[in-house]
Amino acid sequence: MTGGSPPGAGRGRLIIWVIAGTLLALWAYSYWGMGPSGGERISYSEFRTQLEQENVERVVVEGNTINGELKSQASQTKQGNTVEYQKFVTYLPSFGDDKLMDRLEAQNVEVVTEPESSFPWGLVIMGLLPVLLLFGVGYIFLRRMQSQGQGLFSVRQSKAELYDKGEEDTTFDDVAGADSAKEELREIIKFLKDPQRFEGLGGKVPKGVLLVGPPGTGKTLLARAVAGEADVPFFSVSGSDFMEMFVGVGASRVRDMFSEAKETSPAIIFIDELDSIGRKRGAGLGGGNDEREQTLNQLLSELDGFEENEGVIVMAATNRPDILDSALTRPGRFDRQITVDLPTQKARHEILKIHARNKPLSDEIDLEEIARSTPGFSGADLENLLNEAALLAGRHEHDAIQHSDIEEARDKVMMGLKREGMVLDDEEKKLLAYHEAGHAIVAAVLPHADPIHKVTIVPRGQAMGVTQQLPEKDKYLYRLDYLLDRLAVIMGGRAAEEIIFDTATSGAENDLKQVRKMARKMVLDWGMGEKFKHISLGEDQGNVFLGEELAKGREYSDQTAREVDEEIRRITENAFKRAVDTLNENRDAFDQLAAMLIQREEVPGKDVLKLVEEDLEDLEQLPATNGEVAAEGDGASGDVDPESTEVLKDENDRTDE
């Protein structure tokens, strides 16, 4: 299709010009046609003066308006300027002038009278102007809707996009991991392709399939893969597409979408971000029945309206299943929920291989190692990691992506960009170095702490400094000894400030928040306190729309609450004391690491271990990094077997409670 104006554009411009011309003509008529016929406007006193001087030749009287012509030119002064005139316009006063006609006849002035117009042109024009203006605005609005594929009557039509198998080239081969989810979806596809096989056994296929999982785990990708695998029509729509400014549009679009799917059955409907229309009804103070609730009610009605084995299956995706209305998730509607969780190490390896297909990698890069060092990364995070590495390789003029590019990209994804403009003075740099050295030494010494990957005092994002720990494997359960060591590691920064500077700084703000959240969870939820070993005192969040503090209730007494606070304080104080003792026992390594951070700004984890183990032979041979990751500190060493990415930051750290 060649470029140019869309159909009807010429006609639209013509209508706009006609409206503009009409408005201009009406304005001109109101300004000239309805007013005096011409001449200088003078006062009635000036007209009487010219009449007394016998200088009036002719007058035309129309209502209260007098148009006249003088025998000879006269002049008057307006705003300091002298104006000469011979034709004039004036108006009779409201109280009239009974002797005017006698004077005109006495001087033989020609008098012409015309009837005053009875039609209210002024009122008509003033009434037409806003109507024409509204017509023009409405026409422009409709034209814009048509340019977006919406007509006046198509606004209620479904926005679901139909995919054919030939249009969608994504298949299950493009989806790494999520093996259980793919098996469940293959069963759905088999039913759609061969429904008689299941019907003969008395089987009923689920009407709805809900994909649940954190953002970036591949829920939408799985749906696209279903579209590529299935030989049936696939309708895809976002939950927000049902919302419009007009009342009833959402419900109408739901009806239209299901009607189209039934006409082409067997078919699949996929609703992305279901939580945008599927939230709990009546939520909030005062409840309500807004447009979103009407849309949800219509969706529930359509799901109930399916006949058995009609051949239309609804798929939906959400990362907030906790806020969905219970009527959506009951049997008979979204019968089956498929959890698409964060990928395992093996799945991360497969995902990395998929995203590395079209990217040149150097021989030193081991994707399996990168998979081990990125636990907690979603598929989207891994894709972003390789993309950032490719951009960095291009910036550094590399022919292929290097390991240093991967490492720098990981730091960028996890911690943010370097704050190049921030310059620390010597005192602040020393304080920051000891703070991060405190985290690192405690982590390197305690037996159950995660291995150290890197310590840096290069400001990134919101963090002034960072101690990176990479767990040896993916963790799904947390032991008490691991949590206690982790608390001590987090307290290592504040302990270092107390030991070296005999003071406290604001740099430990986030550390203290992490400790409080973790200790509170240990006592209330996990039963790990000395006084509450086998009881969970935590409450459900309650109605998420009312606010956590407003909705939740406490099921224990004030005395128990005070004991809980005392238990949390005890756990916190013990973690701080362990950190202080650990740093005092390893004071030499502590001081040396701080000095290395001041000089080099970044120290790899294996060097921290050498300091603790007093293996100092190779330390002096390593060059200063000045914030750049050296090849020796890229995590590839056999001394550290990284499995996870857990970063203890001074601010805005992402930690799982």
Side-chain angles (χ1 to χ4, degrees):
M1 180 181 293
T2 59
S5 300
R11 184 169 63 254
R13 295 191 187 99
L14 178 61
I15 294 176
I16 293 175
W17 280 111
V18 169
I19 294 174
T22 303
L23 293 174
L24 182 62
L26 290 174
W27 176 82
Y29 179 78
S30 65
Y31 189 82
W32 285 295
M34 294 179 56
S37 59
E40 181 71 17
R41 182 169 295 184
I42 63 176
S43 65
Y44 189 73
S45 300
E46 177 67 18
F47 167 67
R48 288 289 301 270
T49 301
Q50 295 297 329
L51 186 60
E52 292 174 358
Q53 295 177 0
E54 300 182 356
N55 192 31
V56 179
E57 178 71 25
R58 181 174 180 270
V59 295
V60 179
V61 182
E62 182 179 355
N64 293 329
T65 304
I66 300 177
N67 292 277
E69 185 177 355
L70 303 178
K71 296 178 180 178
S72 60
Q73 287 187 347
S75 62
Q76 68 172 354
T77 302
K78 285 186 177 182
Q79 299 178 353
N81 297 323
T82 302
V83 179
E84 295 184 350
Y85 65 93
Q86 190 165 357
K87 293 184 178 181
F88 64 89
V89 178
T90 190
Y91 300 91
L92 284 172
S94 59
F95 51 81
D97 190 347
D98 298 336
K99 299 180 180 181
L100 176 60
M101 194 61 191
D102 295 337
R103 293 192 179 97
L104 293 174
E105 291 179 349
Q107 298 182 18
N108 294 323
V109 177
E110 182 183 358
V111 179
V112 179
T113 59
E114 295 181 357
E116 186 177 7
S117 176
S118 60
F119 192 81
W121 288 104
L123 295 177
V124 171
I125 292 174
M126 295 302 295
L128 284 177
L129 285 176
V131 172
L132 291 174
L133 182 62
L134 289 175
F135 178 79
V137 172
Y139 179 80
I140 295 173
F141 176 74
L142 290 177
R143 290 293 301 169
R144 289 184 176 181
M145 291 183 61
Q146 292 176 358
S147 64
Q148 299 174 0
Q150 305 177 12
L152 179 62
F153 301 101
S154 65
V155 71
R156 295 177 176 268
Q157 295 179 359
S158 171
K159 288 188 172 182
E161 188 174 356
L162 176 62
Y163 290 95
D164 294 329
K165 183 178 179 180
E167 298 177 356
E168 182 57 63
D169 56 358
T170 303
T171 64
F172 284 142
D173 294 335
D174 300 312
V175 183
D179 294 332
S180 60
K182 288 191 290 186
E183 285 300 319
E184 295 284 348
L185 295 175
R186 284 194 178 98
E187 179 181 326
I188 302 297
I189 295 174
K190 289 179 181 179
F191 171 82
L192 293 172
K193 292 181 177 180
D194 188 14
Q196 291 79 14
R197 178 181 178 182
F198 295 86
E199 293 174 3
L201 299 173
K204 297 180 181 179
V205 72
K207 292 183 178 181
V209 179
L210 183 61
L211 302 176
V212 178
T217 53
K219 300 182 295 294
T220 305
L221 181 63
L222 278 170
R224 292 174 57 191
V226 171
E229 294 280 349
D231 289 324
V232 298
F234 185 91
F235 297 87
S236 177
V237 66
S238 175
S240 60
D241 290 336
F242 295 106
M243 298 293 99
E244 198 66 67
M245 62 181 292
F246 304 108
V247 178
V249 169
S252 177
R253 288 178 175 175
V254 171
R255 287 193 299 269
D256 187 68
M257 179 181 65
F258 278 88
S259 177
E260 291 182 15
K262 292 175 184 178
E263 292 177 357
T264 59
S265 64
I268 297 176
I269 296 174
F270 174 67
I271 304 175
D272 201 4
E273 304 296 341
L274 179 64
D275 51 276
S276 62
I277 61 171
R279 295 188 178 187
K280 297 176 181 178
R281 289 168 292 180
L285 298 175
N289 185 27
D290 56 9
E291 173 68 8
R292 180 188 56 78
E293 292 188 4
Q294 294 183 28
T295 305
L296 174 59
N297 292 334
Q298 186 62 44
L299 177 61
L300 297 175
S301 177
E302 293 292 340
L303 289 171
D304 282 339
F306 283 173
E307 299 178 359
E308 297 295 336
N309 296 328
E310 190 174 4
V312 178
I313 294 176
V314 182
M315 294 177 57
T318 181
N319 53 27
R320 294 295 307 277
D322 56 310
I323 67 175
L324 293 180
D325 196 288
S326 57
L328 267 177
T329 56
R330 73 161 177 81
R333 287 168 177 162
F334 284 98
D335 310 77
R336 186 172 299 180
Q337 293 191 21
I338 301 176
T339 301
V340 187
D341 213 338
L342 292 172
T344 62
Q345 176 183 327
K346 180 181 178 182
R348 292 195 298 273
H349 186 204
E350 297 298 323
I351 294 172
L352 287 170
K353 289 195 293 185
I354 290 176
H355 293 304
R357 288 174 179 172
N358 302 320
K359 295 180 175 63
L361 303 179
S362 64
D363 297 335
E364 64 177 342
I365 291 181
D366 186 358
L367 294 180
E368 186 173 359
E369 179 193 336
I370 297 175
R372 288 197 305 267
S373 63
T374 52
F377 274 48
S378 66
D381 293 331
L382 295 172
E383 180 183 12
N384 187 37
L385 173 66
L386 290 184
N387 183 67
E388 289 290 344
L391 296 178
L392 290 170
R395 183 187 305 173
H396 299 154
E397 298 183 355
H398 296 162
D399 296 330
I401 299 176
Q402 307 294 322
H403 200 290
S404 59
D405 300 325
I406 296 288
E407 186 73 13
E408 186 176 352
R410 182 169 56 188
D411 290 347
K412 185 177 179 180
V413 171
M414 294 176 58
M415 298 176 289
L417 295 172
K418 293 180 181 179
R419 298 160 70 177
E420 302 288 355
M422 177 174 291
V423 180
L424 302 177
D425 57 30
D426 293 340
E427 182 180 358
E428 290 178 330
K429 194 171 184 179
K430 181 180 179 181
L431 197 152
L432 185 59
Y434 270 101
H435 182 102
E436 296 302 328
H439 288 307
I441 294 298
V442 176
V445 172
L446 295 183
H448 303 291
D450 295 319
I452 296 292
H453 175 63
K454 180 193 304 180
V455 188
T456 176
I457 60 172
V458 178
R460 284 184 175 271
Q462 298 297 318
M464 298 295 294
V466 176
T467 299
Q468 288 188 12
Q469 294 177 263
L470 303 181
E472 295 180 344
K473 61 181 181 179
D474 293 339
K475 289 184 172 64
Y476 304 100
L477 296 174
Y478 298 102
R479 292 166 52 106
L480 176 60
D481 48 10
Y482 169 80
L483 293 173
L484 293 177
D485 283 3
R486 184 178 176 185
L487 288 173
V489 172
I490 300 175
M491 277 298 201
R494 172 56 61 90
E497 296 171 356
E498 294 281 349
I499 294 173
I500 302 300
F501 305 99
D502 194 23
T503 186
T505 72
S506 61
E509 175 186 357
N510 194 65
D511 296 338
L512 300 178
K513 289 181 179 180
Q514 290 183 58
V515 171
R516 175 181 59 83
K517 291 180 180 180
M518 190 179 303
R520 190 171 186 84
K521 209 166 185 65
M522 291 171 62
V523 175
L524 293 178
D525 297 333
W526 298 335
M528 294 181 177
E530 290 185 356
K531 294 184 178 181
F532 308 98
K533 285 187 176 182
H534 308 296
I535 183 173
S536 175
L537 300 175
E539 303 90 11
D540 295 332
Q541 186 174 353
N543 195 326
V544 296
F545 301 99
L546 294 178
E548 188 174 344
E549 296 299 327
L550 181 62
K552 71 179 182 181
R554 194 177 68 187
E555 298 180 353
Y556 49 88
S557 65
D558 293 339
Q559 176 63 30
T560 302
R562 286 192 290 270
E563 293 178 355
V564 168
D565 292 338
E566 293 174 359
E567 187 70 12
I568 294 174
R569 187 180 299 110
R570 183 191 64 82
I571 293 175
T572 303
E573 293 296 334
N574 286 344
F576 178 78
K577 185 177 183 303
R578 289 188 69 198
V580 171
D581 294 341
T582 302
L583 293 177
N584 285 328
E585 293 172 359
N586 299 271
R587 182 60 183 268
D588 291 340
F590 179 33
D591 291 331
Q592 292 182 51
L593 178 57
M596 293 174 64
L597 285 172
I598 294 174
Q599 179 187 3
R600 298 163 51 181
E601 295 185 344
E602 194 164 285
V603 178
K606 68 175 186 178
D607 285 1
V608 179
L609 293 178
K610 290 178 180 179
L611 286 173
V612 173
E613 297 170 358
E614 298 182 354
D615 183 12
L616 309 179
E617 295 180 0
D618 300 328
L619 289 179
E620 297 298 330
Q621 301 177 7
L622 295 175
T625 59
N626 295 322
E628 299 294 331
V629 181
E632 293 83 357
D634 57 13
S637 171
D639 296 335
V640 181
D641 185 19
E643 280 281 342
S644 180
T645 55
E646 183 169 357
V647 182
L648 302 178
K649 298 183 180 180
D650 291 343
E651 299 197 26
N652 294 342
D653 182 35
R654 302 182 302 177
T655 57
D656 298 328
E657 296 182 359

